[in-house]
Amino acid sequence: MDRALEEAQRAMEAGEVPVGAVVVLDGVIVATGNNRTRRDNDPTAHAEIVALRAAAKQLDQERLSGADLFVTLEPCAMCAGAISHARIRRLYYGAGDEKMGAVDHGPRFFAAETCHHRPEVYGGLAEEDAAAMLRGFFQARRS
């Protein structure tokens, strides 16, 4: 999760919402990502999507079975769908997201009958650090 927080910091320094993600397979980091929606003018360039795309390219396969994803913020519905399609084994996330989260809030994507793959989910890792970074980012933008 420390590396995901570093990725979130990189996003914040670039003026993006500070969210970072890391894909780990067999104890090795295979890809990282941070929010790039503004830099890339791409509404799908969330940290999770960036990391999943990089991991799939690195491993030369569309499915990331056996891989774990660490992300600093609870994934939205779009990212939860991508996590499911990628067949991520375990999802670890930091701060919960009551407004846009789709794992333990909102639609609870992985609990839906139509969800074809459900990763193990562990929330609250480095939650205070992740939440503090997000709060600081949005407070600075409002000032």
Side-chain angles (χ1 to χ4, degrees):
M1 190 56 89
D2 289 339
R3 183 65 188 273
L5 287 165
E6 290 173 14
E7 288 296 319
Q9 181 67 39
R10 286 187 183 99
M12 185 166 61
E13 290 167 359
E16 300 277 358
V17 175
V19 179
V22 177
V23 177
V24 176
L25 180 63
D26 297 328
V28 177
I29 294 174
V30 295
T32 63
N34 58 64
N35 272 1
R36 300 191 55 86
T37 58
R38 291 175 184 219
R39 286 176 280 175
D40 293 354
N41 293 314
D42 179 355
T44 69
H46 290 194
E48 301 95 321
I49 303 293
V50 172
L52 292 173
R53 285 178 180 158
K57 187 172 185 175
Q58 173 70 23
L59 298 171
D60 196 30
Q61 58 191 39
E62 68 178 276
R63 296 205 173 139
L64 304 173
S65 300
D68 299 332
L69 178 66
F70 293 79
V71 62
T72 58
L73 183 64
E74 178 182 354
C76 69
M78 174 184 69
C79 293
I83 289 164
S84 179
H85 282 283
R87 305 294 200 280
I88 290 294
R89 176 178 62 172
R90 293 185 195 108
L91 167 65
Y92 299 90
Y93 74 85
D97 186 349
E98 292 181 14
K99 291 182 182 178
M100 294 296 296
V103 175
D104 290 322
H105 296 91
R108 301 177 194 272
F109 187 89
F110 301 126
E113 287 184 29
T114 55
C115 180
H116 65 281
H117 172 78
R118 294 168 181 83
E120 294 176 34
V121 176
Y122 303 92
L125 276 73
E127 181 174 17
E128 290 184 27
D129 293 336
M133 193 180 303
L134 286 158
R135 276 192 307 274
F137 174 80
F138 288 112
Q139 285 174 351
R141 291 188 64 105
R142 285 186 213 109
S143 298

